[in-house]
Amino acid sequence: MKTNANAIIIALAVIIAAYLFSNAFQNRNQSADTISVTGLGKKDFVSDLIVWSGSFSKKSMILKDAYAALDSDREKIKSYLLSKGIQSSEIVFSAVNFNKDFDFVYNENGSTKQQIFTGFNLTQTVTVQSKDVNKIEDISRQSSELINSGVEFYSNPPEYYYTKLAELKIKMIAEATKDARVRAKSIAKNAGAGLGSLKKSDMGVFQITGQNSSEDFSYGGSFNTISKNKTANITVKLVYQVD
């Protein structure tokens, strides 16, 4: 009896192993009868929104005097920007940030011996956001005029954006998909086969870089803000069944 039972178990094991091997072989053949291609969508465009900011500061031993001096500079900056044709709705001043500054006197062993209060340092930021990219770009280059008027103004490089990215992305996905299908058809034709149904699709990350730049693509997607003229790239990977 024991011998018969062992024989039955062995027979069942052989049948199951044969089935699993056959199924794996069949799936391998199905996988081999596919074409995997990657299509590219690429578009050059010009930014239609600019954000430019700068900061200014005043320092005084008396907090009230520092605020008064900063307020005077803020009015000078606002008048300057308005005189350049910037709309008041495009100008935003941040809250005032202030710090107490100290000078430190150290012992021979390097530890602090004394700290001396040197005044209140107040800083504020102004930001301009506009769709008139070229005008704001020119003004940012002329901002040294504020320094000549006595304002301690530090200008930041402008940042450039595009307000129609969603529409652009949809068009580029369609372009990348079309490019991938053309590639798949070409491969199938040269192999003497027909292109079957789409089995799988994967979209790559959206990359925005400066035009004619050497920027590297990022694994999580890049978003250039320092260039007015940009290039957008997106990839789509498609897997087709081969007939």
Side-chain angles (χ1 to χ4, degrees), residues 107-176:
N107 292 321
E108 293 180 357
N109 60 7
S111 60
T112 303
K113 177 181 180 181
Q114 184 182 12
Q115 61 177 19
I116 303 171
F117 176 66
T118 59
F120 295 96
N121 190 6
L122 275 60
T123 304
Q124 194 167 19
T125 299
V126 59
T127 301
V128 175
Q129 181 173 301
S130 174
K131 289 190 174 184
D132 197 338
V133 177
N134 292 331
K135 181 175 73 176
I136 303 303
E137 192 176 47
D138 289 340
I139 295 173
S140 71
R141 298 192 184 107
Q142 302 166 11
S143 60
S144 58
E145 294 174 350
L146 282 167
I147 298 176
N148 295 332
S149 68
V151 179
E152 190 176 346
F153 187 78
Y154 300 91
S155 175
N156 297 318
E159 296 180 347
Y160 301 90
Y161 300 90
Y162 189 60
T163 61
K164 301 176 182 177
L165 274 181
E167 298 174 21
L168 179 65
K169 192 172 182 178
I170 292 173
K171 292 179 180 178
M172 291 178 61
I173 291 173
E175 179 183 340

Side-chain angles (χ1 to χ4, degrees), residues 34-35 181 194-200 239-243:
T34 60
I35 294 176
R181 182 169 176 80
L195 193 65
S197 60
L198 179 65
K199 307 296 291 183
K200 184 181 178 183
V239 178
Y240 284 97
Q241 187 70 40
V242 176
D243 294 335

